[in-house]
Amino acid sequence: MARVRYIGAEPVTVPELGSRQVQPDEVVEVPDQRFDGYVCQTATWEAVEEPKDEAPPAPLKKTTAPAVKAAAAPKEVR
């Protein structure tokens, strides 16, 4: 979960957070996939901790073909 700080002047109720009331200068956790939806509202929210990339890197595909093909020998000119 990512964390954002509410920087508005008045308390707000955030339906996405279970209708939780958030106070000015309070830090709350938001779903990673919704982080951008909060921080794009620069007059209301600021980033505290960005989402972590928890997905493991994709495994490399193994190939049987060589990565580089050998250049063909030049043809002899007669």
Side-chain angles (χ1 to χ4, degrees):
M1 297 271 273
R3 295 177 3 150
V4 295
R5 175 177 285 117
Y6 174 61
I7 57 175
E10 300 288 325
V12 294
T13 300
V14 183
E16 184 173 64
L17 301 177
S19 295
R20 176 177 172 183
Q21 187 173 43
V22 180
Q23 301 295 321
D25 202 40
E26 184 177 353
V27 174
V28 295
E29 288 188 342
V30 298
D32 288 349
Q33 63 272 21
R34 294 289 299 131
F35 175 77
D36 290 336
Y38 285 87
V39 296
C40 73
Q41 303 173 59
T42 57
T44 310
W45 300 95
E46 70 180 5
V48 173
E49 183 179 326
E50 295 189 11
K52 293 180 176 76
D53 185 17
E54 295 181 11
L60 297 175
K61 292 183 180 178
K62 294 183 179 182
T63 60
T64 56
V68 179
K69 292 183 178 179
K75 293 183 180 179
E76 193 174 305
V77 179
R78 293 186 186 173

